[in-house]
Structure formats: C-alpha cells, structure tokens
C-alpha cells in the first residue's frame, strides 16, 4: 500500500550536534520527497525537497539524501540550534500527485 | 504560502451538525488538498483536486465532502457522519502535476475544529 515510515518519533540533541531523521517509502514510482518543519500550532513549512533524479541536496545546515534502490531518504541537520526544535515530517509522492506523509519526528535541541 | 487562507481559525460544533471549512488561494495553483492532523500524528489526506470540477478521495474521506467549482476555492464539509471530527484541518495547494512529477505543496494556517 501507500506508506511512509519515519524514524525516530522523538529526537533530543545538544546544541551544535547533528540530527538525522530517516524515512522509507513503498512505491518505486515515487519521484518527489519534501521535508516540512512544523512549529506548535502552526502550518507545516517546506524546508528542503529532493527529486528522484538527484542523490543529495544541501541548503546551508540542512541536507537530504535519497537512496532509490533501498527506497529510503534522510534529513540531516548540522550544527543544530534551539530554533531548530520542532516537528519534522517527510513525505513521498504517489500516483495522482498526492503526498503521503510520515508520522513526524519531534526534535528537541537543548542549549 | 501567504497566498493560502483558511477560515475560521477556531470552530466549535455541536455533535450532529454539518460544518464547512473554507480554503482560498490566490497563487493560481491548479491543485488543492485537505489534510487532517490529530495530536502527535502526521498529516492524513482527506480529499484532493488536481483541476476544477474534479476531485478524488484520499485515505480518510468517509464523513467528509468537498467541491471544486472555482480554481481559487476548495471548501471542506465535515458531516455528522464523521465519527470523530475534532482535529486540526490543513488545506494546501500546488501547481499540480507537470509531466507526471508532483510539485511542492504550500499550506494554509489551518482550522482547529472542536466538537462539543
């Protein structure tokens, strides 16, 4: 079925450390993989995305890697800061243009 | 995503009543989506529309209905058949499919529905 698994569900790091969140998807036809950040009570905001013709993409402290063979992709945040604390969601595209979202990872960055 | 608005921000409804949530966008996007978010959970797709006058069911469409009469608007009705409607509802829009490739979705601010 259409499914995206996301791990871990919670992640606590010290300020300055790196954080990694992993997702797997089920459909080899998926070709678009966005990551969203959601602060409490707010709307999800896109932070980075990757398409299936690319293996890695970076934007300052944030990077995403994609392994199409294994059907998994990961978010890497380096030099974490307290303002990085939020819930992060991965998603994968499925036929018809829809996105299926993972369950979310609550990241806590301790000063 | 400032071009997507949802109203109202908070909505209270008595059990057994239908209620309609508004979603408007001025981004000239073809596609629009409705998601439901429960505490501590991800976003689950209710309905989506890739073009005016057409829409498809998502994973949890039971107890909900939508219409897409205008490109800018995609209202969601939560009917009395929805057994547990208390949740945070998010609307999103995107340019839609281009050559079979999905595009970025931008979210509205959400409506928090509480059934009393």
């Amino acid at each position: 079925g259409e499914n995206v698994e996301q791990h871990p569900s919670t992640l606590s790091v010290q300020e300055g450390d790196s954080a990694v969140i992993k997702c797997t998807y089920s459909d080899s036809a998926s070709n678009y993989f966005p990551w969203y950040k959601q602060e409490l009570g707010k709307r999800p905001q896109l932070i980075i995305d990757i398409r299936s013709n690319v293996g890695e993409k970076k934007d300052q402290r944030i990077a995403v890697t994609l392994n199409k063979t294994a059907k998994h992709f990961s978010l890497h945040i380096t030099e974490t800061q307290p303002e990085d604390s939020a819930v992060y969601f991965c998603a994968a595209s499925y036929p018809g243009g829809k996105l299926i979202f993972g369950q979310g990872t609550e990241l806590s960055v301790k000063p | 995503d400032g071009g997507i608005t949802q109203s109202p921000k908070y909505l209270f409804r008595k059990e057994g009543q239908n209620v309609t949530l508004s979603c408007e966008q001025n981004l000239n996007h073809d596609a629009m989506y409705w998601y439901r978010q429960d505490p501590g959970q991800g976003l689950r797709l209710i309905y989506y529309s890739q073009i005016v006058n057409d829409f498809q069911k998502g994973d949890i469409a039971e107890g909900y209905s939508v219409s897409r009469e205008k490109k800018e608007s995609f209202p969601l009705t939560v009917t009395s058949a929805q057994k547990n409607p208390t949740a945070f509802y998010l609307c999103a829009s995107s340019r839609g499919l281009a050559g079979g490739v999905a595009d970025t979705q931008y979210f509205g601010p959400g409506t928090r529905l509480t059934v009393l």
Side-chain angles (χ1 to χ4, degrees):
Chain A
E2 298 171 344
N3 190 42
V4 175
E5 295 285 337
Q6 182 172 347
H7 298 281
S9 56
T10 61
L11 180 58
S12 182
V13 300
Q14 288 295 129
E15 184 176 359
D17 287 350
S18 295
V20 180
I21 302 170
K22 298 182 179 182
C23 290
T24 59
Y25 58 99
S26 57
D27 191 338
S28 57
S30 294
N31 54 25
Y32 176 62
F33 308 91
W35 285 89
Y36 287 86
K37 175 183 179 182
Q38 186 179 30
E39 297 176 347
L40 192 62
K42 301 288 183 64
R43 74 185 83 187
Q45 300 267 15
L46 179 76
I47 56 171
I48 195 166
D49 57 12
I50 192 168
R51 299 193 181 274
S52 58
N53 58 346
V54 176
E56 184 176 2
K57 184 176 178 180
K58 287 184 180 179
D59 183 3
Q60 299 183 332
R61 296 186 297 109
I62 293 173
V64 57
T65 58
L66 172 65
N67 183 328
K68 287 169 54 181
T69 303
K71 296 203 214 56
H72 68 68
F73 56 113
S74 300
L75 177 71
H76 304 253
I77 306 174
T78 59
E79 300 171 24
T80 54
Q81 301 166 4
E83 51 266 37
D84 293 330
S85 296
V87 179
Y88 291 80
F89 293 99
C90 64
S93 65
Y94 279 83
K98 59 183 178 180
L99 294 178
I100 301 298
F101 285 79
Q103 291 293 90
T105 296
E106 184 174 1
L107 174 64
S108 175
V109 180
K110 299 182 186 302
Chain B
D1 47 45
I4 304 176
T5 57
Q6 291 184 244
S7 61
K9 187 173 182 179
Y10 298 97
L11 187 56
F12 298 89
R13 179 197 107 172
K14 291 183 179 179
E15 215 170 313
Q17 289 180 337
N18 292 356
V19 63
T20 297
L21 281 58
S22 168
C23 178
E24 304 277 332
Q25 54 98 0
N26 62 3
L27 301 169
N28 200 31
H29 283 170
D30 285 318
M32 297 186 75
Y33 311 81
W34 274 106
Y35 296 90
R36 170 182 172 139
Q37 187 174 33
D38 293 285
Q41 296 197 29
L43 286 71
R44 292 186 289 167
L45 184 63
I46 305 172
Y47 269 98
Y48 63 109
S49 168
Q50 293 291 341
I51 198 167
V52 175
N53 291 323
D54 189 37
F55 50 82
Q56 287 76 42
K57 293 181 179 180
D59 298 324
I60 55 166
E62 186 175 349
Y64 300 97
S65 66
V66 294
S67 62
R68 186 84 190 276
E69 297 176 0
K70 298 188 298 182
K71 188 175 185 177
E72 306 79 28
S73 178
F74 192 40
L76 173 75
T77 297
V78 184
T79 75
S80 56
Q82 169 50 232
K83 297 194 185 309
N84 185 19
T86 295
F88 188 45
Y89 290 87
L90 286 157
C91 178
S93 71
S94 78
R95 290 183 297 180
L97 287 170
V101 180
D103 197 23
T104 303
Q105 291 186 19
Y106 298 92
F107 286 86
T111 292
R112 194 167 298 278
L113 173 64
T114 302
V115 175
L116 304 172

